[in-house]
Amino acid sequence: MRLTPGAGHDVDLDDVDLLDLDLYTSGDPHRIWDAMRARAPLHHQTLAEGREFWSLTRYDDVCRVLGDHREFTSERGTVITHLGEDDVAAGVLLTSTDPPRHTEVRRPIAPKLTARAVRSWEDGIRRAIVRFLEPAVESGTFDLGEQVQRLPAIVTGPLLGIPEQDWDGLVQLTSMVMAPSDPHFKLGSEAATLAIAHHELVDYVTQWVKRRRSDGGEDESLLDHLMSVRAGGAPLTDEEIALDGYSILLGANITTPWTISGTVQALVEHPEQYARAAADLSLVPNLVEEGLRWTSSACNFMRYAVHDVEIGGGTIPAGGAVVAWIGSANRDGTQFPDPHRFDITRDNAKRQVAFGFGPHFCIGAPLARMTLRIFFEELLGRCESIEFAGEPQHLRSIFIAGMTQLPVTVRRRRPDGRHRGGQRVAGPATAGADAAARPAGTTDSGCPAIAAVLPQQVPVKANSGF
Ligand code: HEM
């Protein structure tokens, strides 16, 4: 999706098709959302075959839809790709439950992912990012969009307890769920791509749980933790663990890389902001917030109205599908003055809603924020400058905004110029030495490698996104 909107032009909102994939691949959705916020804050669209949905684009309305489960339920699915089909994992999957069940499942997982808890992973994540960045920066020119897709698996794989040899396969599968129409990930039809990916991902986690149960080993990984979670006084069933593991895997893999490519693109377009952040690394946390706002990589989530709801100057009837456009809320000028200006010093950038709002607020936000902060500290610390080396290619997805290709050329900083201002960051030499000291076959979290288990024949259970 084009993140810097083109010149303003008249938009005929009666003609707009918000589910047109071309809009996100080669169009300019921000100009359409601008017009919707101004003229049709509650927008209604009926598809050719009769399915319909309502859209909300203003910041306050988006927060209300995402934040109030009594008016807008998650239990029938939350991803627009499945508009009109009820979620078969409703009431089970973390993402497609409402309180109180949602609170019961989320409460025991959340302490593992707080800002404080994830801090203990910082050194391991930094080493993983350095190992990832070093060869790319050394090569001078590389496709950041393509390469960065592996990063979350490298970072979260060990935390989840997933062996290294499985990462590439899982990245591919999660990408298939997120963008089943993108030529990079499509296998036959969109429906077939989704079905294959859901099946294999749920099955992967199911087999993983079986293995861990028979190993009986102790581990600190997130998936191990899910096995000890109790909801409503009872342990999670294997199916529930598989579905929640699937949610975390998807959540982790499909968002962070796109935020990186969107933010890097903005920094290349604004070299003065790149130079400013590189000169003062204490600006990086705010750069991360502005990058999240700017990219809004999970650009919408869906709910269904529980009863007739008045909102945005109109009424959504009971049972109506409602799409909250996060990408639009994050460019609402009533909240973010001059919203289409990328500004790493914006003083309220942290009000962005890229991680959602309310009970389903992203459980991985502290981990994502830390990963992004470390990535930009290491990139800015290593590279004097960064330029485009080719045309970006946008992901063909309604749901996720990002770039599958973003060729860049970087100029490496002289070793003595690495730490200019701001906080000191761990250097590549240390990271390399630590990595070399790890026992063979283990990851940063120390998880032993276990065999890949893709794919087995089990029925497809979930049709949710993450
Ligand atoms: C830049 C990175 C990320 C972005 C932009 C993002 C965005 C979001 C958003 C908007 C939601 C709310 C969904 C809703 O309201 O229905 C969400 C939920 C969720 N995210 Fe993230 N996410 C990111 C990273 C992560 C990571 C690293 C993880 C895993 C550790 C993760 C796991 C989840 C899970 C499991 C949920 C469901 C929470 C619930 O339903 O209570 N996300 N994310």
Side-chain angles (χ1 to χ4, degrees):
M1 180 198 306
R2 182 179 180 148
L3 298 176
T4 303
H9 56 272
D10 281 348
V11 174
D12 181 351
L13 288 175
D14 292 332
D15 266 1
V16 161
D17 177 3
L18 290 164
L19 298 197
D20 176 6
L21 280 161
D22 289 341
L23 178 61
Y24 305 91
T25 320
S26 51
D28 197 354
H30 277 294
R31 284 297 171 214
I32 291 173
W33 295 335
D34 286 350
M36 287 168 72
R37 284 194 306 276
R39 292 189 271 129
L42 177 63
H43 179 269
H44 176 245
Q45 183 178 337
T46 307
L47 304 178
E49 74 283 16
R51 288 182 300 161
E52 57 180 345
F53 65 96
W54 283 258
S55 285
L56 287 152
T57 40
R58 290 182 178 171
Y59 184 93
D60 289 340
D61 293 339
V62 165
C63 291
R64 182 170 155 195
V65 171
L66 297 179
D68 190 350
H69 68 278
R70 281 158 307 204
E71 289 187 312
F72 300 102
T73 176
S74 294
E75 296 229 338
R76 292 180 55 196
T78 60
V79 182
I80 199 167
T81 342
H82 301 296
L83 175 68
E85 299 164 26
D86 278 359
D87 190 339
V88 294
V92 182
L93 196 59
L94 180 66
T95 52
S96 38
T97 45
D98 291 333
R101 166 78 189 174
H102 172 261
T103 320
E104 283 170 1
V105 179
R106 184 168 163 133
R107 193 181 285 136
I109 304 172
K112 272 273 182 190
L113 287 165
T114 60
R116 195 183 177 148
V118 300
R119 216 170 291 143
S120 63
W121 297 333
E122 173 155 1
D123 290 348
I125 290 178
R126 191 178 295 279
R127 285 194 295 270
I129 287 178
V130 168
R131 277 203 308 280
F132 167 84
L133 265 179
E134 266 298 306
V137 170
E138 196 54 45
S139 71
T141 296
F142 60 100
D143 189 336
L144 185 130
E146 191 182 303
Q147 294 206 15
V148 87
Q149 288 172 47
R150 283 201 79 225
L151 185 68
I154 293 169
V155 169
T156 11
L159 310 181
L160 283 165
I162 288 169
E164 192 164 349
Q165 71 265 24
D166 298 351
W167 293 346
D168 283 341
L170 291 174
V171 167
Q172 179 71 16
L173 290 172
T174 47
S175 302
M176 284 161 67
V177 173
M178 160 205 65
S181 302
D182 190 284
H184 293 88
F185 311 121
K186 196 170 169 184
L187 277 185
S189 68
E190 179 179 332
T193 308
L194 268 177
I196 292 167
H198 283 313
H199 173 141
E200 295 201 358
L201 279 168
V202 173
D203 186 53
Y204 179 88
V205 187
T206 308
Q207 298 300 326
W208 190 98
V209 170
K210 277 193 186 144
R211 251 166 213 275
R212 291 298 294 160
R213 286 211 196 286
S214 64
D215 286 357
E218 299 261 319
D219 201 304
E220 281 300 299
S221 77
L222 270 178
L223 287 182
D224 278 292
H225 180 66
L226 277 182
M227 289 167 62
S228 61
V229 162
R230 298 178 74 82
L236 297 183
T237 63
D238 281 8
E239 186 200 14
E240 288 166 338
I241 296 169
L243 291 175
D244 286 329
Y246 164 93
S247 295
I248 294 174
L249 202 58
L250 274 184
N253 274 10
I254 68 175
T255 44
T256 320
W258 314 111
T259 306
I260 290 178
S261 49
T263 308
V264 168
Q265 186 192 40
L267 285 170
V268 179
E269 285 172 355
H270 300 90
E272 76 294 348
Q273 306 233 6
Y274 184 93
R276 202 162 169 188
D280 179 2
L281 293 183
S282 71
L283 289 173
V284 170
N286 213 55
L287 155 66
V288 166
E289 297 304 320
E290 181 68 345
L292 284 159
R293 181 190 80 86
W294 185 256
T295 312
S296 299
S297 55
C299 86
N300 56 68
F301 272 97
M302 190 174 68
R303 302 286 192 264
Y304 285 87
V306 174
H307 48 74
D308 288 1
V309 181
E310 281 185 29
I311 187 167
T315 305
I316 303 173
V322 189
V323 179
W325 293 90
I326 291 174
S328 169
N330 276 336
R331 301 288 180 102
D332 186 333
T334 65
Q335 303 296 322
F336 306 104
D338 199 359
H340 297 307
R341 185 167 49 88
F342 180 79
D343 179 1
I344 63 165
T345 60
R346 189 179 283 281
D347 58 13
N348 70 345
K350 213 168 176 184
R351 291 204 69 204
Q352 53 78 16
V353 284
F355 291 121
F357 186 83
H360 291 277
F361 179 82
C362 178
I363 202 167
L367 177 60
R369 282 192 161 114
M370 187 169 81
T371 305
L372 292 166
R373 172 177 58 76
I374 296 172
F375 181 89
F376 283 103
E377 283 170 358
E378 293 295 335
L379 180 79
L380 291 158
R382 265 181 183 68
C383 304
E384 191 75 48
S385 65
I386 178 159
E387 288 167 19
F388 294 128
E391 281 297 306
Q393 196 167 333
H394 297 282
L395 189 66
R396 193 164 174 76
S397 168
I398 296 162
F399 171 45
I400 299 287
M403 272 157 273
T404 46
Q405 283 167 15
L406 181 65
V408 293
T409 298
V410 297
R411 193 146 55 90
R412 199 184 234 299
R413 199 178 287 289
R414 284 201 345 262
D416 58 355
R418 277 198 79 241
H419 306 298
R420 295 199 300 173
Q423 61 207 98
R424 190 177 164 80
V425 294
T430 324
D434 287 356
R438 279 199 317 275
T442 65
T443 60
D444 280 328
S445 70
C447 300
I450 56 171
V453 289
L454 292 174
Q456 302 282 320
Q457 291 303 311
V458 294
V460 178
K461 285 286 185 190
N463 72 355
S464 286
F466 71 90

